[in-house]
Amino acid sequence: MSNPYESEKLVAEYLFFHYADAETVSGGMPVPREALDFPARLVTELTDFSRPAERVLDLGCAVGRSSFEFARTAKSVLGIDFSSAFIRAANILKQDGRLSCEVVLEGERMEKFTAQVPDSLDVSRVLFETGDATALRSDIGSFDTVLAANLLCRLPEPARFLERLPGLVAAGGQLLLATPFSWLPEYTAPEHWIGGRPSTGSSWDALSEALDPHFELQLSKDM
């Protein structure tokens, strides 16, 4: 399967989505205010911090903002993405603390943007690698917290990913899933969708049915 996430344009868009702030938007850059800090808010608003997490897995980490955010509290964070271009960008951010790019302002007008990792973070706790969420390496182990954001409905076979989750989340650990259920045939053939069709019912119900034997739902939130 070819990877659609390798272009410089998409890297720039994801850098902007992950790292743009209120000051950037006030300057007229094109991002809805409610989308600001979304990858960081996934961590701060969904994680139960009363349960200490030594090992965290961020699947579909893209350019790394959630992974870096986890480093505020976790001792070890592994960010995995299918895109080698995203992982290169995340590693540059880890090494240099910043990465500049150009994003579309409107039409053919471009604007320079610099993504920056907050200085307060210990980036040495974070490791990035390329990988397939449906075919993770066998020695990856288990984690106290696993995040998979905007990933499920971009996988060719999401059921394979769901089957792997019980072995990835350590006993008493946390699974954090965020998905818009925006199933698209170019990413996932309809026969592999988790719900979302008249014959299968809602994706929420189908996902709950798949996870209920292994996980207890403790929080549901519109992000």
Side-chain angles (χ1 to χ4, degrees):
M1 176 183 177
S2 63
N3 187 345
Y5 291 100
E6 297 293 351
S7 71
E8 289 186 13
K9 180 177 182 292
L10 270 178
V11 170
E13 289 176 357
Y14 271 76
L15 285 170
F16 188 72
F17 172 58
H18 276 227
Y19 296 95
D21 56 20
E23 182 179 351
T24 305
V25 173
S26 67
M29 295 292 279
V31 63
R33 290 183 179 274
E34 59 270 20
L36 289 175
D37 289 324
F38 177 73
R41 288 190 289 109
L42 288 171
V43 177
T44 58
E45 296 183 26
L46 297 183
T47 305
D48 180 356
F49 291 104
S50 68
R51 306 178 188 181
E54 293 200 2
R55 295 192 80 211
V56 171
L57 176 62
D58 182 5
L59 283 170
C61 67
V63 292
R65 178 67 188 281
S66 295
S67 300
F68 289 129
E69 193 66 30
F70 275 122
R72 295 184 187 275
T73 55
K75 292 183 179 180
S76 172
V77 182
L78 176 59
I80 295 179
D81 201 275
F82 193 51
S83 167
S84 58
F86 284 179
I87 294 299
R88 279 195 301 273
N91 276 319
I92 291 172
L93 284 162
K94 176 183 175 180
Q95 176 180 306
D96 300 338
R98 57 174 51 209
L99 178 59
S100 295
C101 62
E102 284 194 328
V103 295
V104 176
L105 183 60
E106 58 179 19
E108 295 181 352
R109 293 180 60 206
M110 306 295 288
E111 184 81 13
K112 192 168 184 178
F113 170 73
T114 298
Q116 298 188 64
V117 179
D119 294 334
S120 58
L121 299 184
D122 182 358
V123 297
S124 68
R125 299 180 179 186
V126 184
L127 177 68
F128 294 107
E129 65 180 56
T130 56
D132 182 345
T134 62
L136 295 169
R137 51 186 171 86
S138 59
D139 62 347
I140 198 169
S142 60
F143 298 82
D144 303 299
T145 302
V146 174
L147 168 67
N150 296 335
L151 174 70
L152 188 67
C153 54
R154 291 298 178 267
L155 297 173
E157 295 185 61
R160 289 181 60 192
F161 168 67
L162 296 179
E163 290 166 1
R164 185 75 171 82
L165 287 175
L168 287 177
V169 183
Q174 302 178 68
L175 170 63
L176 313 178
L177 293 179
T179 176
F181 293 126
S182 56
W183 302 107
L184 298 170
E186 55 264 41
Y187 294 104
T188 313
E191 61 266 25
H192 292 305
W193 294 359
I194 306 297
R197 293 186 293 161
S199 61
T200 58
S202 76
S203 293
W204 172 261
D205 289 342
L207 179 61
S208 299
E209 183 179 353
L211 294 179
D212 279 349
H214 309 285
F215 298 96
E216 177 186 350
L217 179 62
Q218 296 190 338
L219 175 67
S220 175
K221 187 171 185 178
D222 183 355
M223 295 296 294

